[in-house]
Amino acid sequence: MQMTTGQAGDVARWRDALNPPIYLVSVLPGLGVPLLAGGDRIAVAALLLATFAVVLLQHAINLFNDAADWRLGADVDKRDSWVRVHDGRTRPVVVHAIVSLIAGGLLGLYVLWQQDRWWILPAAAPLLVLGYLYNAGPRPLSYTHFGEWVTGLCYGPGVYGGLWLVAGLAPDARMLAGMAAFAALAMALLLSHQPPQIETDRAAGKRSFAVRYGADTTRRTARALFLLFIAALAVGALVSLRSPTALVFVALGVFVTLRLYLGEVNPKRILASASFVVAGGVALAIGWSS
């Protein structure tokens, strides 16, 4: 059965709004756990479920973000906004976000119950609240000087730290290295989004890093944060693998970082570079442990 032009257009709008590659920022920390765990035994099923819960929570935050930006006037030129999928109505977007938030939260609670690790919840709860406040209220945190820091906290200690503990691993230097790495990656990705949106963000009263410091400084900072991501992962890999394989991983990271420094900084390039490094590192870690 062939789709009509209108149906094809609707599918394209949903696909553009969903933007599947952006969820790599939640998937990569899940891959980063076995990368830095080395040969340590991990709870694979719990890690997979928890990573999917993070994806659902990110989806909810993306929806809340589109609704808040539309309401406050920052997304007037954004063609792939979820609000456009719903013909300019924010209410269905918020309902969609609430459903995704509840689903992700319940799945996360199920994993904690399954692993009997309820003690993680008090540490994770404040970061979940921060993630919600990032887009909530008349003055969301994403519109203040704290937006980038909140992103780093949520993805570093929040996502990576939580996934590390859910996988059954104890806190140690590798966990700290992973937290620093994925906090830096999330902030680099956020900054790489900002330069094309400076004028609309400024008009809407958004005090993003790019609005405050300009496009050139934002791109340089995104590059530096990506370098920190590579450096922190390299330190964690050296601690974890304790083998010549770790040196290959370091060389891989240096190569990708140089490629990023020599090219344009944008979200697709950062995510592709990070995915190449993490996937390559996991392959090396599996090969060494076997």
Side-chain angles (χ1 to χ4, degrees), residues 174-190:
R174 297 170 300 171
M175 175 181 165
L176 293 176
M179 285 164 53
F182 288 98
L185 176 62
M187 293 172 72
L189 183 63
L190 177 61

Side-chain angles (χ1 to χ4, degrees), residues 21 76 82 87 97-98 129 131 144 149 171 181 209 211 226 238 259 280 290:
V76 292
W82 279 103
D87 301 316
I98 291 171
V129 172
T144 70
W149 294 107
F209 188 94
V211 168
F226 188 85
L238 288 169
R259 291 278 296 175
S290 61

Side-chain angles (χ1 to χ4, degrees), residues 12 21 68 75 80 96 102 133-134 156 158 163-164 237 246:
D75 259 1
D80 57 354
H96 184 172
I102 292 173
L133 293 177
Y134 186 80
L163 292 177
W164 181 271

Side-chain angles (χ1 to χ4, degrees), residues 3-14:
M3 286 191 298
T4 66
T5 302
Q7 288 173 326
D10 289 340
V11 170
R13 284 200 301 169
W14 277 84

Side-chain angles (χ1 to χ4, degrees), residues 111-129:
V111 173
L112 293 181
W113 169 76
Q114 185 189 51
Q115 296 296 104
D116 194 23
R117 287 180 170 257
W118 290 108
W119 53 270
I120 297 175
L121 186 58
L127 296 172
L128 288 173
V129 172

Side-chain angles (χ1 to χ4, degrees), residues 140-164:
L141 289 174
S142 61
Y143 278 67
T144 70
H145 294 66
F146 302 107
E148 293 80 21
W149 294 107
V150 169
T151 299
L153 280 172
C154 287
Y155 274 95
V159 173
Y160 188 84
L163 292 177
W164 181 271

Side-chain angles (χ1 to χ4, degrees), residues 221-236:
T221 306
R223 286 191 177 99
L225 285 167
F226 188 85
L227 179 60
L228 176 58
F229 161 70
I230 294 295
L233 273 189
V235 169

